[in-house]
Amino acid sequence: MKNSRLYFILILCLGVGLIAALSVQEQKTEMDSTSAPFWQLIGKPVQLGSKALTKVIPISSLDEKEYGDAIRIRYESGADKSDPRYIYLNSLIKDLTKMKSKPFEYTVYLMDSGVPNAFALPGGVIFVTTGLLQILESESELVSILGHEIGHVEKNHCLENIRFQLLTQKIGSATLGKLADLAFAIIVKSSYNKNQEEEADEYAFSLLLSSDYHPAGEGKAFEKLAESHLGKETRTANIITEYFQSHPHTVLRKERYQEKAKVWRSSNSGVRRYIGKANLELQKTYSENQIENEWSTE
Amino acid sequence: MVEFFLFVSYIILIVLWRRNSELKEDLHKSSLRMASIEKKLNDLQALPIHSVQEQIKLQGKPEEISKPLSETEQKREEIPPAVIEAKEEKISLDSIVPAEEKEAAPQTEIIQNTVPEKKEKSWWQKTEKSLMENWTGILGAVILVLGVGFLAAVAFIIVPPFVRFLIITGFAGAVYWISRYLKRKDESWEKLSDILFSTSAVIFLIACIGSYGISGIKFVEDPLFSIPFILLGLGVNLYAGYSRNREIYASLHIVLTFIGLASAPQNLVILFIASAVTILAVRKNYSVRWDWHLFLTAFSYFCFHLYNYAQREPAIKSDVFLRVSGIVLVSSVYINALYVHYLEAFYSEEKLPRTALLTHISSWIFLGISLLGYSTGSYWTPIYILAVGAGAFILSQTARKRNIRWLYVCDMWAAEALTLIGIFGLEKWDIPFFVLILFSGVQAMIFALWNIREKSAVLTGSSILLLSVFQAVMAVIVILNQERAANLDFRDILNLSAFTVFVFLEGIYYHYSRKLGEDLFSENRFLYWISEIPGFLFAVSFLSLYAYADRQIYAPAAFAALICGIGFYRSRIQSPGIGAGLLFLFIISLTDSWNDMKSFGSEKPLDFLSEAAPHFFSIVFLMKHSFVKEFEKKFSIPFLYIFNLHLLLSIHFFTVSVSPFLTGVSALLLSFILIEFSENSSLAEFLEDSGSSKHLIINSLIFSAVFLYRHLLIHLQSGAYLWIFPVRFWIELFALAVFSFMLFRKSTAYTFYNENVQPFFAELSLFFSVLAGLTVLPEHWSPPYWAALAILCYLISNVKNMDLSRFAQYSLIVQAVNCFYIAFISSSEDNPGGLWQNSKWIPALTAIALTFPYLYMVYSSFRQKEIRYPGVLSRADRVSVLAQKRVFSLAFYPFFAAVFLFLYWSAAGAILTLLWVAFAFAVFAFSLLVKEKHFRYASLAILFFCIFRLIFHDLSSTGALTRAFVFVGTGIILLIMNSLYNKYKDRLE
């Protein structure tokens, strides 16, 4: 009985302390409510199952490479290789993929679109829109975006989209595989594609942490994207649309990586990290041109 | 022509309607007879034949029994059916049923008594009779009238109008002659004769009306000259109606008379004639009771009068004489018609004569509408109507004295309705609409009290309903006008004051009505509930006032005090009506306060407090005074729920702007506190409810559910940190602590909770452990976490006195997840920065290392466990038996497979073979430890597979050094295995 009363008081103190801490810190949430993280949680086992499936079926990164090469041939002719932005992006991706596990090189193509966006295709093909380059302010932000897309490729998310096609290609019936991929995407993928996005975000953050770039770059990049989506995102939960939503809410991603950067900074005070505003402007990568005042200890 | 056919159709309709009701009555009687006969036949058939024979024998008819049955039947066939029926009846009632059975079966007696002596006809026979007797005549008349119509059409073409008139009149004469001729014959022709007589009169009336009003036979152009023709037609018509002293003909011809009068030029003289005819027709009802005749007369006169009025309206409006004449004539007619029902000889002690009631109500309505027409535009109209209302009231008292109950009720209604019409007529005096409704409400209140005094349930009920309607209308008007609350003009203030006065008047009325009508309401439960409506409205009406005062800072406190006051009064007088109204008032004011609290939030703390705090007091007060005599119970528990809801919402609205996390955490804290105090005796004493502990637990569970809801929809999204951990983690840790604590809190009074809810806090705790772990750990560190959790679960399953044995089985599930991660997730090679600390093999190897002690624990005690599931999951006990049988398949082999796959995806070439060999050795060593031969077999299988691979794959594809290294390693392992085996083989065997 005594012990019970003691536990009661301890837990009560924990609760009251937590309430006090939350009140003092005025901890807020980005959205009034959202079911997306809940769906993400529910979708996790499905995603793990899908990963296991990709592992056990007899396709490999070499198959993915062949697929990527075919895409490259298709887009190569349209790309302006003398464009400084093209050169800059491909130079940057080379630096970022030094520790890649995939047996192919990454290529970044520039897409002429005002909508800020980037996406990856199987075989290391990444597209970045001109609109995205316009809203980003520093190389660390760009690295976080490219890191995110590299994450999709490295973590086999892109391969998962074409796994049945690649498998059936081996027996000469790729159309059947395409249909299977499509069906899988429609029926199952909605439940876990937000998890894939989070994995890619985490990959990008790890990339920033293991490089000289400033970890705050990712939060800032999401901030810019959130600003560009301003007014399009709702603030309250919608169980149906949030289930089918392919990405987590940008405001939540922004908050998560801003907070992570803060935590990192609090345990790494004084450590210099590179921001690279001028690099993005000059189209010269950090490895090509390190500018002294781009380092930050904040 | 159209008018003519309409007229004909109208006659036909009336005849058909009347006949139809008569026929329905006949048919109903016939079907009742049929049913009784069928029942008797069935009873007869149900009796066994030998008992029939015995009965007959007892009656001294041995010769019938001795006859063979077939012969009897043969005879039966020879007898006409009617005779058989009669015989069967006789047998069934007199000879077969014994005397004592007859006594025991009163129904049989009734049947016996109602059976007439003459033979019964079948349904078909009766229908046939009805058709032959009535419908042939009716149809014949209709066809005849149609023929006249056709004739008129032909005449229209070929002869001048006057000749046409003569032809038709002649035809009417011919028909009359035929009817007279038939009358002289035997009785069977009498009905047809009567019909033809009426037909002839109708045809003559048509001719007379047509002489002025129907084109084709119209030959009189001057309206004045048309009157003698019309009067002649009407005279003949009335004679035809009343000469035979039969209601149906009288009714038919009086209706036709009005049609005839309507076709004449409309003036005061015609109205006078019509009124005189009506009075004469009505006077007939003073000597004989013809309810339908009276109704049709009153109705037809009303229609005629409307037509007459419409034709003369401009003149009536400008001429006082015409108006007064109209009022006098109409009043004379309807007072006569109404007074018929006061004849004690016809209507005293009558339960409820529907037709008479319809007639009486209609007459009042007709009178009211007619008088309204005459007095429209007059300043004194409402006074006339109020005077008539007073007259109706006096008449109702007459009816009461004469013991004509239904009439008393009807007249009281009429009096009340007329008074209401009179009150609304006061609008001409520029009295505001709201005040008129108020007067109406007061009037209804007075009537209600009067009726309660006179112990009339119906009248009391109707008055109360009327009062309620006016009260509700007033309340709605006041609420609708509350938009102007900030800028009230004189009229608004007047209305509001009047309404306030009315509400208090209603309160007084309600108080006295309950005292005055105590006996009346206790006898009639339905009336009792109706009598509670004013009480309900009395309490609800304060909402209207609340709407005005809402913007004031003192309003919540004032209304909370008011609620307490009304609650106290309700408790004293035990009024369900006030109780319901109070509840409504309370809920609305509470929800309104919630709305205000939401808008104030933490930004206006004083305003917020002024809204939130008073309700805590009012809830507790109502909780204390919640005894309801009707149920002999105190309803404190619902207020307990409301209190907690108010508390939670107050916290939510105040804190949500500070931090959205606070609501969920506070809900969990409240849940925790409620569980702790659920057994508190002083709380139970305060609530005065034996189930208070149970409800406190339910409240606690609701708070927990609120927390879970908020955690899933609000907290999960957060990426914010508190110190070095995410906010989410702290909350999940707190939830884990609370739910673990709840796991130790069993209820002494709530068995269902103990069996079906409380044990599952263990599962909830496990869920939050998983959630908390996944929140803080990077994904690639999941396997060690799962491995540790599997150990923890297994250890928890060993805790005594807690019945958590099922956690052993959960540990298998957690272990399976661990194996899955090791096999498929940890073997991925992505490592963005290439930093060793991010390598996945480190956590994977840690997990593998942690799994061995787990497996050992499982091996040593899993099969000896008695695993049981609580409550609704008790059926899973079978699964646990199966799991215990297959524990090696479920715990060990998935792990072996996971490690095997992990190695396969983490290494390549000959190194992989070496790792596999090492793994085979580990399995072998484990098999020695646990003395399980199948593990040994498994390790040997892996080993030989590795050797095969080494020879046929690695030998050719591996570099020299690696190859050597692998071969050496494999060889050493094999040797150690061999030596170990040999050393312990005796023990193994």
Side-chain angles (χ1 to χ4, degrees):
Chain A
M1 190 65 189
K2 268 188 179 178
N3 280 345
S4 164
R5 191 45 57 91
L6 183 68
Y7 288 138
F8 175 76
I9 291 166
L10 279 175
I11 296 169
L12 195 67
C13 289
L14 177 63
V16 172
L18 186 58
I19 288 172
L22 290 168
S23 306
V24 171
Q25 298 264 324
E26 294 192 7
Q27 291 287 358
K28 300 280 196 307
T29 52
E30 289 294 324
M31 296 179 73
D32 295 337
S33 63
T34 169
S35 60
F38 170 71
W39 286 126
Q40 216 170 305
L41 196 69
I42 300 284
K44 191 72 189 169
V46 187
Q47 190 214 4
L48 294 176
S50 175
K51 275 191 172 198
L53 182 67
T54 311
K55 277 211 137 175
V56 295
I57 62 174
I59 53 166
S60 68
S61 298
L62 287 173
D63 298 313
E64 191 186 357
K65 181 182 181 300
E66 277 179 27
Y67 191 91
D69 289 343
I71 297 171
R72 277 190 195 85
I73 291 164
R74 194 171 164 187
Y75 288 102
E76 202 78 19
S77 55
D80 180 7
K81 291 187 177 175
S82 60
D83 186 336
R85 291 174 298 180
Y86 175 88
I87 298 164
Y88 170 64
L89 285 168
N90 279 287
S91 169
L92 192 59
I93 203 95
K94 208 163 199 173
D95 294 339
L96 297 176
T97 53
K98 276 179 183 161
M99 301 307 294
K100 64 182 166 60
S101 61
K102 294 282 182 182
F104 44 74
E105 293 302 321
Y106 282 77
T107 315
V108 186
Y109 293 105
L110 200 62
M111 188 183 257
D112 194 13
S113 166
V115 182
N117 199 6
F119 55 91
L121 295 176
V125 179
I126 295 169
F127 282 85
V128 173
T129 65
T130 50
L132 181 73
L133 291 180
Q134 278 165 13
I135 65 160
L136 296 178
E137 286 181 355
S138 68
E139 193 167 281
S140 63
E141 291 169 24
L142 180 61
V143 165
S144 76
I145 299 288
L146 291 175
H148 175 92
E149 301 309 331
I150 296 166
H152 276 312
V153 180
E154 291 289 310
K155 287 186 171 283
N156 286 333
H157 301 161
C158 295
L159 183 63
E160 277 180 27
N161 292 337
I162 53 160
R163 59 189 160 194
F164 295 119
Q165 187 188 341
L166 293 181
L167 182 70
T168 50
Q169 217 164 30
K170 293 182 177 182
I171 55 167
S173 179
T175 315
L176 199 65
K178 275 183 190 172
L179 281 174
D181 285 321
L182 186 68
F184 193 88
I186 291 168
I187 298 163
V188 184
K189 210 186 165 196
S190 300
S191 63
Y192 68 80
N193 47 15
K194 288 182 278 295
N195 284 302
Q196 290 188 335
E197 292 301 325
E198 193 181 282
E199 273 189 358
D201 289 347
E202 284 294 327
Y203 186 94
F205 194 70
S206 298
L207 189 66
L208 286 171
L209 285 180
S210 56
S211 68
D212 286 337
Y213 289 108
H214 203 299
E218 187 161 358
K220 283 186 179 166
F222 282 128
E223 193 177 354
K224 304 278 170 18
L225 284 170
E227 280 167 10
S228 73
H229 292 159
L230 211 62
K232 290 175 193 167
E233 288 198 330
T234 53
R235 283 192 60 82
T236 49
N238 185 322
I239 289 174
I240 307 294
T241 55
E242 285 183 334
Y243 173 78
F244 290 104
Q245 190 177 302
S246 62
H247 289 60
H249 291 285
T250 316
V251 284
L252 301 184
R253 297 160 87 183
K254 176 201 81 173
E255 186 205 22
R256 177 181 294 266
Y257 291 101
Q258 281 179 345
E259 288 287 324
K260 281 197 168 200
K262 274 185 206 166
V263 172
W264 176 86
R265 177 49 79 195
S266 64
S267 54
N268 293 276
S269 54
V271 176
R272 290 198 329 154
R273 282 301 173 117
Y274 199 77
I275 295 172
K277 282 187 181 175
N279 294 76
L280 184 66
E281 212 174 306
L282 298 167
Q283 313 282 325
K284 292 284 176 193
T285 64
Y286 160 73
S287 59
E288 291 166 351
N289 186 12
Q290 289 184 27
I291 301 160
E292 190 52 38
N293 59 8
E294 289 293 337
W295 291 96
S296 167
T297 52
E298 287 175 4
Chain B
M1 278 306 278
V2 176
E3 291 88 346
F4 169 72
F5 283 110
L6 279 174
F7 149 71
V8 171
S9 312
Y10 181 58
I11 295 165
I12 294 163
L13 273 175
I14 289 168
V15 173
L16 290 179
W17 179 32
R18 188 73 196 103
R19 286 306 302 154
N20 185 37
S21 59
E22 281 180 9
L23 284 172
K24 270 186 182 171
E25 211 168 292
D26 287 348
L27 279 171
H28 180 65
K29 282 179 187 169
S30 307
S31 59
L32 280 176
R33 282 291 303 146
M34 284 291 296
S36 71
I37 291 163
E38 272 173 12
K39 189 179 183 305
K40 279 183 276 176
L41 278 172
N42 288 338
D43 290 346
L44 189 63
Q45 281 166 2
L47 283 170
I49 191 71
H50 61 84
S51 74
V52 177
Q53 288 171 340
E54 275 172 20
Q55 290 296 325
I56 294 167
K57 199 174 177 181
L58 284 169
Q59 295 288 326
K61 293 178 182 173
E63 68 279 8
E64 283 189 18
I65 300 162
S66 61
K67 281 178 190 170
L69 192 65
S70 57
E71 197 185 329
T72 315
E73 280 179 351
Q74 202 181 347
K75 280 208 163 189
R76 189 187 170 104
E77 280 171 10
E78 286 166 16
I79 302 164
V83 178
I84 291 174
E85 264 183 33
K87 274 197 172 182
E88 278 175 348
E89 253 183 40
K90 203 177 175 189
I91 290 166
S92 66
L93 297 171
D94 298 326
S95 58
I96 295 174
V97 182
E100 59 272 24
E101 275 187 37
K102 274 194 221 171
E103 281 167 17
Q107 212 174 354
T108 319
E109 282 288 58
I110 292 162
I111 293 163
Q112 188 187 14
N113 292 337
T114 55
V115 175
E117 284 300 315
K118 64 178 182 181
K119 68 174 185 180
E120 276 300 314
K121 287 187 174 167
S122 69
W123 183 83
W124 287 110
Q125 284 170 324
K126 284 182 177 176
T127 312
E128 186 195 3
K129 185 174 179 283
S130 170
L131 287 171
M132 289 304 293
E133 275 187 356
N134 302 306
W135 285 99
T136 44
I138 294 163
L139 289 171
V142 171
I143 291 161
L144 186 66
V145 172
L146 282 172
V148 174
F150 296 141
L151 194 65
V154 174
F156 175 76
I157 300 164
I158 57 169
V159 290
F162 181 66
V163 180
R164 289 173 204 151
F165 169 77
L166 287 178
I167 291 169
I168 295 169
T169 310
F171 182 73
V175 173
Y176 175 71
W177 181 82
I178 295 166
S179 79
R180 291 291 96 189
Y181 171 76
L182 291 173
K183 187 90 177 172
R184 284 196 290 272
K185 294 188 79 156
D186 61 65
E187 273 186 10
S188 60
W189 295 98
E190 194 178 340
K191 208 160 201 171
L192 185 60
S193 162
D194 283 345
I195 291 167
L196 287 175
F197 181 30
S198 287
T199 309
S200 68
V202 171
I203 295 166
F204 183 68
L205 181 64
I206 292 168
C208 289
I209 293 166
S211 67
Y212 174 73
I214 300 172
S215 57
I217 53 172
K218 183 179 176 180
F219 65 92
V220 180
E221 295 300 327
D222 189 341
L224 200 66
F225 287 112
S226 71
I227 291 174
F229 281 98
I230 291 167
L231 287 177
L232 183 65
L234 291 176
V236 170
N237 191 47
L238 285 171
Y239 172 74
Y242 289 91
S243 62
R244 285 164 289 176
N245 211 21
R246 288 195 56 187
E247 188 184 8
I248 186 167
Y249 297 115
S251 307
L252 174 70
H253 288 285
I254 192 74
V255 170
L256 292 169
T257 302
F258 285 113
I259 293 166
L261 286 166
S263 63
Q266 297 302 306
N267 50 40
L268 186 62
V269 178
I270 287 291
L271 180 64
F272 178 78
I273 293 167
S275 303
V277 169
T278 313
I279 289 169
L280 285 173
V282 167
R283 292 306 296 182
K284 182 72 185 169
N285 271 62
Y286 282 76
S287 55
V288 60
R289 185 177 165 178
W290 283 353
D291 285 346
W292 277 107
H293 168 259
L294 186 62
F295 174 75
L296 288 171
T297 307
F299 178 69
S300 304
Y301 179 75
F302 174 69
C303 296
F304 166 78
H305 174 252
L306 273 187
Y307 177 68
N308 180 276
Y309 179 87
Q311 297 292 313
R312 302 186 299 129
E313 194 178 3
I316 289 169
K317 290 215 164 160
S318 59
D319 191 338
V320 178
F321 175 71
L322 288 180
R323 283 210 298 274
V324 173
S325 313
I327 289 170
V328 169
L329 288 173
V330 167
S331 303
S332 310
V333 167
Y334 283 112
I335 286 169
N336 264 294
L338 287 164
Y339 205 74
V340 170
H341 298 117
Y342 295 85
L343 297 172
E344 282 171 280
F346 294 149
Y347 299 104
S348 178
E349 297 295 333
E350 181 91 30
K351 270 189 178 175
L352 184 66
R354 287 181 188 174
T355 319
L357 179 69
L358 173 72
T359 312
H360 201 79
I361 293 171
S362 308
S363 297
W364 275 118
I365 294 169
F366 298 154
L367 178 63
I369 295 171
S370 305
L371 290 180
L372 263 182
Y374 281 111
S375 51
T376 303
S378 166
Y379 198 68
W380 297 103
T381 305
I383 304 300
Y384 301 147
I385 297 170
L386 286 170
V388 178
F393 180 77
I394 293 162
L395 280 173
S396 74
Q397 297 308 306
T398 309
R400 188 164 173 263
K401 278 178 194 160
R402 293 185 182 181
N403 207 21
I404 309 172
R405 190 76 190 163
W406 67 270
L407 194 57
Y408 161 63
V409 172
C410 185
D411 281 352
M412 278 299 279
W413 274 338
E416 202 165 354
L418 286 165
T419 315
L420 280 176
I421 295 168
I423 288 171
F424 280 100
L426 290 172
E427 200 179 3
K428 289 181 196 303
W429 296 15
D430 286 335
I431 295 174
F433 181 66
F434 187 85
V435 178
L436 293 179
I437 297 176
L438 189 109
F439 284 169
S440 308
V442 173
Q443 176 261 4
M445 216 180 267
I446 294 164
F447 265 92
L449 283 172
W450 179 272
N451 294 327
I452 292 169
R453 195 184 68 86
E454 294 201 338
K455 311 285 179 206
S456 169
V458 179
L459 289 170
T460 304
S462 61
S463 299
I464 291 171
L465 288 175
L466 207 59
L467 166 65
S468 308
V469 168
F470 289 121
Q471 163 74 347
V473 170
M474 269 188 283
V476 169
I477 291 173
V478 170
I479 286 179
L480 289 178
N481 286 340
Q482 63 93 24
E483 286 298 317
R484 299 208 300 268
N487 193 20
L488 296 173
D489 61 13
F490 174 72
R491 178 169 282 199
D492 292 327
I493 293 167
L494 184 75
N495 288 354
L496 207 56
S497 311
F499 181 68
T500 313
V501 169
F502 183 81
V503 171
F504 281 102
L505 270 179
E506 192 174 35
I508 295 164
Y509 152 77
Y510 176 75
H511 186 80
Y512 283 104
S513 72
R514 280 172 63 91
K515 281 190 173 176
L516 207 61
E518 204 173 349
D519 300 338
L520 183 69
F521 299 148
S522 62
E523 282 167 13
N524 188 333
R525 292 305 288 169
F526 182 68
L527 186 65
Y528 170 72
W529 289 112
I530 286 181
S531 76
E532 289 299 325
I533 297 174
F536 172 79
L537 289 170
F538 164 70
V540 169
S541 294
F542 286 102
L543 272 178
S544 309
L545 302 175
Y546 179 76
Y548 281 83
D550 181 36
R551 288 163 185 82
Q552 309 301 322
I553 196 163
Y554 61 79
F559 273 86
L562 181 73
I563 284 167
C564 291
I566 300 173
F568 183 71
Y569 178 63
R570 184 216 66 80
S571 171
R572 285 286 300 278
I573 65 164
Q574 283 300 320
S575 157
I578 289 187
L582 176 66
L583 200 64
F584 196 70
L585 170 71
F586 170 67
I587 289 169
I588 298 288
S589 67
L590 190 64
T591 47
D592 186 64
S593 282
W594 290 341
N595 202 29
D596 290 342
M597 281 153 64
K598 191 179 175 185
S599 61
F600 295 145
S602 57
E603 287 163 12
K604 293 180 179 173
L606 262 182
D607 289 320
F608 186 91
L609 198 67
S610 76
E611 287 285 349
H615 284 297
F616 284 112
F617 292 107
S618 62
I619 294 167
V620 173
F621 186 89
L622 293 179
M623 196 188 284
K624 193 72 191 158
H625 295 91
S626 58
F627 180 75
V628 178
K629 199 180 172 189
E630 194 76 23
F631 300 98
E632 288 296 328
K633 196 182 169 189
K634 194 171 182 185
F635 283 86
S636 55
I637 295 302
F639 289 101
L640 174 71
Y641 284 85
I642 295 172
F643 183 89
N644 284 325
L645 180 63
H646 184 56
L647 178 63
L648 183 68
L649 287 177
S650 301
I651 291 170
H652 174 68
F653 293 137
F654 193 76
T655 60
V656 75
S657 57
V658 178
S659 171
F661 296 103
L662 289 171
T663 308
V665 177
S666 304
L668 189 61
L669 191 66
L670 286 173
S671 171
F672 170 65
I673 293 168
L674 279 180
I675 276 285
E676 178 65 12
F677 289 102
S678 62
E679 307 272 315
N680 188 289
S681 55
S682 41
L683 200 57
E685 273 171 30
F686 179 78
L687 292 168
E688 289 179 48
D689 192 295
S690 55
S692 62
S693 165
K694 171 183 162 182
H695 290 287
L696 284 167
I697 289 171
I698 293 172
N699 271 277
S700 165
L701 294 177
I702 292 170
F703 280 136
S704 293
V706 169
F707 164 74
L708 289 175
Y709 168 79
R710 288 200 64 89
H711 192 68
L712 294 177
L713 284 189
I714 287 117
H715 305 165
L716 274 188
Q717 63 172 293
S718 174
Y721 277 70
L722 193 65
W723 193 41
I724 53 165
F725 293 119
V727 172
R728 249 181 74 179
F729 172 76
W730 290 110
I731 294 171
E732 282 156 4
L733 201 67
F734 176 55
L736 179 60
V738 168
F739 292 135
S740 306
F741 182 84
M742 283 168 147
L743 186 58
F744 291 89
R745 274 279 170 275
K746 277 204 182 286
S747 167
T748 52
Y750 196 10
T751 323
F752 179 82
Y753 169 76
N754 286 344
E755 288 173 0
N756 294 296
V757 182
Q758 190 263 354
F760 295 105
F761 281 117
E763 276 75 2
L764 207 54
S765 304
L766 180 62
F767 171 72
F768 273 95
S769 324
V770 173
L771 219 53
L774 295 180
T775 304
V776 286
L777 285 171
E779 196 182 8
H780 63 279
W781 274 95
S782 296
Y785 180 69
W786 289 113
L789 196 63
I791 294 170
L792 186 69
C793 283
Y794 200 81
L795 290 173
I796 288 171
S797 75
N798 293 333
V799 175
K800 285 175 184 170
N801 305 324
M802 285 292 290
D803 199 19
L804 292 169
S805 56
R806 63 189 184 280
F807 267 64
Q809 217 150 322
Y810 296 161
S811 77
L812 288 180
I813 298 167
V814 177
Q815 167 63 8
V817 178
N818 175 31
C819 292
F820 182 87
Y821 264 93
I822 292 171
F824 299 107
I825 311 300
S826 299
S827 54
S828 301
E829 295 154 14
D830 57 284
N831 182 358
L835 301 173
W836 70 269
Q837 61 267 34
N838 288 344
S839 304
K840 291 183 177 174
W841 61 267
I842 300 172
L845 286 183
T846 314
I848 290 167
L850 281 172
T851 307
F852 278 103
Y854 168 75
L855 290 177
Y856 184 75
M857 283 193 296
V858 168
Y859 169 78
S860 56
S861 61
F862 194 91
R863 277 183 169 165
Q864 289 80 47
K865 274 183 182 292
E866 196 183 336
I867 297 173
R868 266 180 300 183
Y869 282 86
V872 288
L873 289 184
S874 55
R875 290 185 176 206
D877 288 349
R878 287 184 207 164
V879 182
S880 65
V881 173
L882 199 70
Q884 280 178 314
K885 265 187 186 174
R886 307 270 176 211
V887 66
F888 292 134
S889 310
L890 293 170
F892 294 87
Y893 288 105
F895 174 65
F896 296 157
V899 176
F900 187 84
L901 287 171
F902 169 72
L903 294 175
Y904 172 69
W905 277 309
S906 303
I911 298 293
L912 173 63
T913 312
L914 181 62
L915 288 171
W916 272 345
V917 170
F919 170 63
F921 173 73
V923 174
F924 176 76
F926 190 72
S927 78
L928 293 182
L929 188 71
V930 299
K931 297 172 196 168
E932 287 288 341
K933 59 184 176 188
H934 53 94
F935 288 158
R936 216 160 54 240
Y937 301 152
S939 71
L940 285 174
I942 298 167
L943 198 65
F944 284 105
F945 171 73
C946 290
I947 292 166
F948 185 81
R949 190 175 192 270
L950 201 66
I951 296 164
F952 293 99
H953 178 262
D954 300 341
L955 201 62
S956 57
S957 61
T958 317
L961 190 64
T962 314
R963 191 192 310 154
F965 178 71
V966 169
F967 270 71
V968 168
T970 308
I972 292 169
I973 289 167
L974 282 170
L975 286 171
I976 295 169
M977 279 174 75
N978 178 263
S979 61
L980 280 174
Y981 180 76
N982 284 316
K983 190 175 178 183
Y984 295 109
K985 69 178 178 185
D986 297 338
R987 197 191 290 181
L988 294 174
E989 281 164 6

